[in-house]
Amino acid sequence: ALRISNCVNVRLSGLKHFNSQRNHISIDGCNDVIVSGLHIFAPEQSPNTDGIDIAGSTNIQVMNSVIQTGDDCIAINTLCSNINITGVTCGPGHGISVGSLGMNGEVAKVEGIYVQNCTFTGSTNGARIKTWQGGAGYARHIIFDDITLINTDNPIIIDQYYCPNCVNQSQTSAVQISDVSYSRIRGTSATPTAISLMCSQTQGCTDIRLMHIKITSAHSSEPTSSKCINAHGKYTDSIPKVDCLLP
């Protein structure tokens, strides 16, 4: 519906976007963009209707907006740095995603991502990082802080095996994920696995930190759980516990 390309010093506010044929807003190759007060809507079952896609951009702020779509509420793609997302309500949708990165051997470069004071309601994912096998480069210095979850399927998820509509093939290279912090995340999970850190078997994820996490089940009295592949770091005061990380 709207594409902002190769622009500097952009202010976008107060718009309502309904039922774009694909993604609603693209920000590509930009510097110093502030987006605020948007309401973006598409049916939950509508494919590829991302709310805001950001690529090749730096110094981007998305604030105080409601995004209800059939795909990522916000997707942060390669060559992005200093992206600040605050006060966004997401759901339905696929969460706020770093990625996907590394498709077809892409060399990804993403750093300085800060997601704060956001709410996920009935979304497929919450705080999400997704990369394809066979990629390269890095995603680092990423912070998810002060997040509220309401009946979210995958509240905290790193997926380095992202491969929709295909069969994953074992690859030796991967986007390197490091220095990722999850703090003050609370609410309910719609699935038993509240924390999923599925990192590359050859590269792994390093310096992953979870602090003050409390995610309980939305549908049962059974405790939530976590699962990991090759994830390394620390956790403090976390429900569920993350046994692959050091306490």
Side-chain angles (χ1 to χ4, degrees):
L2 174 64
R3 182 179 182 186
I4 303 169
S5 181
N6 299 313
C7 295
V8 177
N9 192 24
V10 176
R11 304 296 181 261
L12 178 68
S13 65
L15 296 182
K16 293 184 178 181
H17 283 242
F18 290 93
N19 298 335
S20 174
Q21 294 182 48
R22 285 181 62 86
N23 55 316
H24 289 73
I25 297 174
S26 292
I27 299 172
D28 185 17
C30 295
N31 181 34
D32 186 17
V33 178
I34 299 178
V35 176
S36 63
L38 302 189
H39 186 175
I40 298 173
F41 175 82
E44 183 174 1
Q45 302 304 320
S46 57
N48 300 315
T49 52
D50 293 9
I52 302 174
D53 286 341
I54 306 170
S57 297
T58 189
N59 300 319
I60 311 297
Q61 297 183 57
V62 181
M63 303 183 298
N64 305 328
S65 296
V66 176
I67 304 176
Q68 302 169 292
T69 69
D71 212 297
D72 292 331
C73 291
I74 300 174
I76 300 164
N77 297 295
T78 193
L79 300 178
C80 281
S81 63
N82 195 20
I83 310 297
N84 194 314
I85 300 168
T86 305
V88 170
T89 298
C90 170
H94 293 180
I96 294 177
S97 298
V98 176
S100 61
L101 304 173
M103 183 178 180
N104 296 325
E106 170 193 71
V107 179
K109 296 181 180 181
V110 172
E111 60 185 331
I113 311 301
Y114 189 25
V115 180
Q116 181 187 34
N117 188 28
C118 292
T119 299
F120 298 96
T121 302
S123 55
T124 305
N125 305 286
R128 185 187 195 192
I129 301 172
K130 53 179 177 175
T131 74
W132 296 72
Q133 293 187 66
Y138 57 80
R140 63 194 183 194
H141 312 322
I142 299 167
I143 295 173
F144 295 96
D145 176 58
D146 191 15
I147 304 296
T148 299
L149 308 161
I150 303 171
N151 199 32
T152 301
D153 282 358
N154 301 292
I156 295 174
I157 178 170
I158 295 176
D159 180 7
Q160 292 213 270
Y161 302 88
Y162 181 74
C163 190
N165 304 316
C166 68
V167 177
N168 278 330
Q169 302 295 319
S170 179
Q171 300 282 344
T172 57
S173 66
V175 176
Q176 178 65 57
I177 295 175
S178 64
D179 188 11
V180 182
S181 172
Y182 302 91
S183 61
R184 299 191 297 165
I185 299 178
R186 67 275 174 183
T188 57
S189 174
T191 61
T193 304
I195 300 173
S196 177
L197 308 176
M198 309 301 286
C199 300
S200 164
Q201 293 178 327
T202 55
Q203 296 288 337
C205 304
T206 60
D207 197 14
I208 308 299
R209 303 180 303 280
L210 286 88
M211 300 164 286
H212 311 304
I213 310 296
K214 187 176 181 180
I215 307 173
T216 57
S217 174
H219 303 300
S220 75
S221 59
E222 294 296 319
T224 51
S225 61
S226 64
K227 63 180 180 180
C228 301
I229 296 176
N230 207 14
H232 307 276
K234 296 182 179 181
Y235 77 90
T236 302
D237 183 26
S238 177
I239 299 174
K241 293 182 178 180
V242 189
D243 290 334
C244 63
L245 305 182
L246 296 175

